[in-house]
Amino acid sequence: MQQVLEGIRVLDLGRYVAGPFCAALLADYGAEVIRVDRVGGSEDRHIVPVSELGDGALFLQANRNKRSISLDMDSAQGKAVLHKLIARADVVVANMPARTLQGLGLDYESLRRIRPDIILTASSAFGASPALRDRIGFDGIGQAIGGLVHLTGNPGQPMKAMVPVVDFATAMSCALGTMMALYERKHSGMGQEVGASLLQTSLNFSSGALIEEAVLQVGRQRTGNRAPHYAPSDIFRVKDGWIITQVIGPAMFRRWARLIGRPELLDDPRLQDDGRRGEHGEWLSEVMAEWCARFTRDEAIARLEEARIPAGPINSPREVLDDPLIRESGAFHEVAYPGAARPVPLVAAPATLSRTPPRIQRRPPTAGEHTGEILQELGYPPAAIQALREAGVV
């Protein structure tokens, strides 16, 4: 069955997560993606290594369904190869500061001189404003500057998320923007630049708190795992671990009060709406903690689910991998990877389509694994390919 993006060619010059995962999502839906690696392997390949060669966990997740060409882009011959790749591409993905893009000839004006209808998807740390565009940053910086870190953690100790949420969300925004640019190109015949930044993603995540502060000037502070706007909403210890539950709205609060055997709370004037319950959240968390301490994790969750109150276990990575319900949902696609002692459980794309579903059909590439075949497709004869190898260009 033909996929949505079949026939679309993507050149991936991204690094780390925001660029490469955007390209991986496009590949999941059928695009042909070529990753351009540095000769010997790029700098993002070895973070959180899981294989004998040091290939990293995030690299594997963000680079499935791609082929790899290794290329010295600083050499004249390497630039010539790069220009041939660009001329065949519908989309170029590159998450770099504007100055770096220009230095490599990957800015939009340079690309459109090679192919007028090309789409450049270029995310950065802080966006395109002159004061910020050349600054570099990673996921944690985006979390911090956008307000997420200030709101997370315990009083006196700000804390960032230890998974790169801003990176991945930026990648998803880039994939969405690329799809819209491709859709628009069908009508106009013109390319354009798709922009995104870690900062803008982080600001979107913080938007509720930012609007609240602008209008009410409340000076919101950290409250640990307890939500400040409704209650009880917290993480609670049970006999054999931890669970999370969130009680929002009057109907759910009524069900919760009856479930724990405290119907008198329904008449308490301090608890008549979400805002007031949030103000007394510390006390309500103590009430809920007493109830949770009586049960195992499965028992507590079963009772909460029966009362139609959202709840879930605090799973470790091992528990996620071993959870039969998660595995049966099709969440993982296991692939063998060179040097990995066990199959790699790549996580499937977050959005499914009923007729033209995303697919993981190709394991992540080793550095330069497909250099020869890609150069042949560009018209290089075997002798020329060998000469490029001997010169260290590929």
Side-chain angles (χ1 to χ4, degrees):
M1 182 179 297
Q2 186 168 355
Q3 289 186 281
V4 176
L5 293 178
E6 204 160 311
I8 296 296
R9 289 172 170 166
V10 177
L11 191 61
D12 176 18
L13 293 113
R15 295 294 181 261
Y16 300 103
V17 177
F21 190 61
C22 166
L25 290 173
L26 300 176
D28 289 348
Y29 295 95
E32 176 194 337
V33 178
I34 293 175
R35 172 182 165 95
V36 180
D37 271 305
R38 294 190 181 278
V39 176
S42 297
E43 62 273 27
D44 61 337
R45 181 175 282 270
H46 304 299
I47 299 171
V48 192
V50 295
S51 77
E52 291 177 357
L53 298 176
D55 299 283
L58 284 176
F59 173 85
L60 298 178
Q61 173 66 14
N63 288 281
R64 73 284 187 106
N65 280 337
K66 301 178 187 179
R67 295 187 293 165
S68 167
I69 180 173
S70 62
L71 187 62
D72 176 10
M73 292 184 289
D74 295 325
S75 68
Q77 290 171 298
K79 282 186 171 66
V81 173
L82 181 62
H83 286 184
K84 286 179 178 289
L85 288 167
I86 292 168
R88 297 174 74 246
D90 297 284
V91 177
V92 170
V93 175
N95 54 318
M96 305 173 188
R99 184 183 299 172
T100 305
L101 286 175
Q102 290 177 339
L104 292 171
L106 296 173
D107 58 287
Y108 179 60
E109 292 304 318
S110 297
L111 294 177
R112 67 187 297 198
R113 287 196 289 269
I114 300 172
R115 177 165 176 167
D117 67 345
I118 203 161
I119 292 164
L120 169 62
T121 300
S123 63
S124 63
F126 301 106
S129 70
L132 295 172
R133 64 188 177 193
D134 291 321
R135 291 180 61 181
I136 60 172
F138 286 126
D139 174 273
I141 311 301
Q143 289 188 41
I145 291 181
L148 276 69
V149 173
H150 174 83
L151 296 169
T152 305
N154 295 314
Q157 179 59 64
M159 189 174 297
K160 78 177 185 71
M162 290 307 294
V163 293
V165 290
V166 172
D167 269 340
F168 275 104
T170 301
M172 293 178 194
S173 296
C174 286
L176 173 63
T178 303
M179 293 287 287
M180 289 191 288
L182 287 167
Y183 181 81
E184 193 278 338
R185 192 178 73 169
K186 285 186 174 183
H187 304 287
S188 69
M190 300 171 64
Q192 59 184 306
E193 182 172 350
V194 176
S197 71
L198 303 183
L199 174 59
Q200 195 65 24
T201 299
S202 181
L203 292 172
N204 270 272
F205 283 176
S206 299
S207 56
L210 299 176
I211 292 169
E212 179 193 42
E213 180 61 27
V215 176
L216 301 179
Q217 300 183 13
V218 295
R220 187 71 65 187
Q221 298 297 315
R222 293 171 290 281
T223 55
N225 294 307
R226 176 170 53 81
H229 305 100
Y230 41 82
S233 177
D234 209 333
I235 290 176
F236 301 99
R237 183 185 288 277
V238 290
K239 287 183 176 180
D240 57 347
W242 299 85
I243 68 167
I244 185 171
T245 188
Q246 295 175 285
V247 177
I248 305 175
M252 198 176 294
F253 184 72
R254 284 194 296 271
R255 296 198 299 271
W256 172 78
R258 291 170 183 142
L259 169 67
I260 68 166
R262 297 290 300 272
E264 74 277 7
L265 296 176
L266 300 175
D267 298 321
D268 191 317
R270 298 170 296 175
L271 308 175
Q272 293 309 299
D273 56 45
D274 276 339
R276 281 182 281 184
R277 289 190 285 272
E279 291 171 5
H280 295 88
E282 187 171 1
W283 168 50
L284 288 174
S285 283
E286 291 172 359
V287 173
M288 183 59 172
E290 291 177 6
W291 182 86
C292 287
R294 296 157 47 193
F295 305 106
T296 65
R297 191 166 77 168
D298 290 345
E299 290 169 346
I301 290 173
R303 284 166 170 77
L304 288 161
E305 287 183 346
E306 187 176 358
R308 304 298 296 160
I309 296 170
I314 306 301
N315 280 335
S316 68
R318 170 49 54 193
E319 287 171 320
V320 173
L321 292 169
D322 292 342
D323 189 312
L325 296 179
I326 294 177
R327 299 196 73 84
E328 289 171 15
S329 74
F332 300 109
H333 181 93
E334 293 190 344
V335 299
Y337 187 81
R342 298 178 180 84
V344 175
L346 300 178
V347 179
T352 61
L353 300 173
S354 61
R355 284 192 301 103
T356 55
R359 294 196 289 262
I360 296 177
Q361 302 179 89
R362 186 191 292 271
R363 66 160 173 78
T366 57
E369 181 176 352
H370 306 95
T371 296
E373 67 182 59
I374 292 170
L375 289 173
Q376 284 183 335
E377 292 168 7
L378 294 176
Y380 285 85
I385 295 173
Q386 183 59 32
L388 290 173
R389 291 188 188 280
E390 291 173 358
V393 176
V394 299

